[in-house]
Amino acid sequence: MILEPIGRDEARELARRELEKPIYHRDRPSWLERAWDRFADWLRELFQRTADPNAHGNGAGWISWIVIILVLVAAVALVAWVMRDRRNVRSDRDPLLEDAPSTARDHRAEADRLAAAGSWPEAIRERLRALARDLEERAVLAPRPGRTADELAAEAGAALPELADELRAGVRIFDDVWYGDRPGSAEAYARVKALDERVTAARPKVTTGSGDAADSTDSTDSSDAAAPVPAGAWVVPDRPGDDTDGGLRW
């Protein structure tokens, strides 16, 4: 078979196409590597100039020192900007619950609605609010305006020591998505929801008058002594025809 000769332009085009194949660029540095190499060379040159700022022909030495200092300040500022949200400095001072009246059931319904819409940070916050309100409704924690998420973990962990680690972990999830600008997820919401359910089912330790801890499921003694009423609560008395149970109301 006789091949027809090709012209110079056609040969050049064929060669260009061949050299554009990835196999010939496998060991070529990426654009990021090339940019870093240029930056490193620039820094190396600056340091060489700063070795002796007053040397002959090296009048830019002092300018090089200034540039290096500015680069270091910019690097520190960048690290501080990246790390600022991880400190979550607001999580230990922002109240978890709002002043408006609400119930644990309200917060759980809102959390489920937000979760169905994919609003994970808001759903996680509402679920943690439900947990806090539930503990107040059951008189495990006294209602206190301004309680923060960190304080909730500490106080609830003292009343429910078997769940103390999980409470701290749940608050960390809330801190990360609400203050740390981290995206929430269905998995994170499921963990906080499971924590809420475990806290709801838990029986807290109560403190007796002698200072000894006793489980809240223990039966009352034969004297039927009235339990102390927590501060801020009032008792609804039983009246004929009422379906109230004479329990505590906040």
Side-chain angles (χ1 to χ4, degrees), residues 220-228:
T220 58
D221 55 25
S222 58
S223 62
D224 293 329

Side-chain angles (χ1 to χ4, degrees), residues 5-85:
I6 60 176
R8 179 180 302 178
D9 294 338
E10 187 177 357
R12 184 184 300 111
E13 179 65 19
L14 290 175
R16 185 186 64 80
R17 292 180 182 178
E18 178 67 22
L19 293 175
E20 285 180 350
K21 293 181 178 179
I23 191 173
Y24 297 106
H25 304 279
R26 184 175 302 170
D27 298 328
R28 183 183 180 184
S30 64
W31 69 268
L32 184 60
E33 292 174 329
R34 295 195 300 271
W36 175 255
D37 290 340
R38 286 195 294 268
F39 179 72
D41 292 340
W42 177 69
L43 281 181
R44 192 178 304 109
E45 183 180 353
L46 284 178
F47 280 110
Q48 289 173 353
R49 291 180 181 179
T50 57
D52 186 2
N54 296 318
H56 178 69
N58 202 19
W62 292 110
I63 297 178
S64 300
W65 270 113
I66 296 174
V67 173
I68 290 175
I69 292 173
L70 291 176
V71 170
L72 291 176
V73 170
V76 172
L78 178 61
V79 172
W81 180 78
V82 171
M83 297 297 295
R84 78 189 193 285
D85 290 329

Side-chain angles (χ1 to χ4, degrees), residues 160-242:
L160 304 168
E162 71 278 9
L163 296 178
D165 292 340
E166 294 182 45
L167 284 162
R168 285 191 292 269
V171 168
R172 277 197 300 272
I173 292 174
F174 166 72
D175 286 347
D176 288 342
V177 302
W178 198 251
Y179 300 114
D181 292 336
R182 298 187 181 181
S185 64
E187 180 183 0
Y189 175 73
R191 290 180 60 187
V192 178
K193 180 179 179 180
L195 172 63
D196 177 32
E197 293 172 350
R198 291 200 61 186
V199 169
T200 302
R203 294 296 177 263
K205 299 290 183 180
V206 296
T207 303
T208 63
S210 61
D212 297 331
D215 196 291
S216 62
T217 57
D218 292 343
S219 60
T220 58
D221 55 25
S222 58
S223 62
D224 293 329
V229 178
W234 52 283
V235 179
V236 178
D238 290 328
R239 293 179 296 178
D242 288 348

Side-chain angles (χ1 to χ4, degrees), residues 71-143:
V71 170
L72 291 176
V73 170
V76 172
L78 178 61
V79 172
W81 180 78
V82 171
M83 297 297 295
R84 78 189 193 285
D85 290 329
R86 297 190 179 184
R87 294 164 54 195
N88 294 328
V89 295
R90 295 177 55 195
S91 65
D92 59 358
R93 69 171 186 262
D94 282 0
L96 179 62
L97 291 172
E98 298 176 345
D99 295 335
S102 61
T103 66
R105 178 178 297 179
D106 295 336
H107 289 297
R108 290 187 182 110
E110 180 66 8
D112 290 339
R113 185 189 69 80
L114 291 167
S119 302
W120 301 118
E122 292 80 5
I124 289 171
R125 181 181 62 169
E126 287 301 315
R127 201 75 198 196
L128 196 64
R129 284 176 168 177
L131 185 155
R133 191 64 81 191
D134 178 81
L135 291 173
E136 292 181 354
E137 291 173 351
R138 291 193 290 145
V140 178
L141 298 181

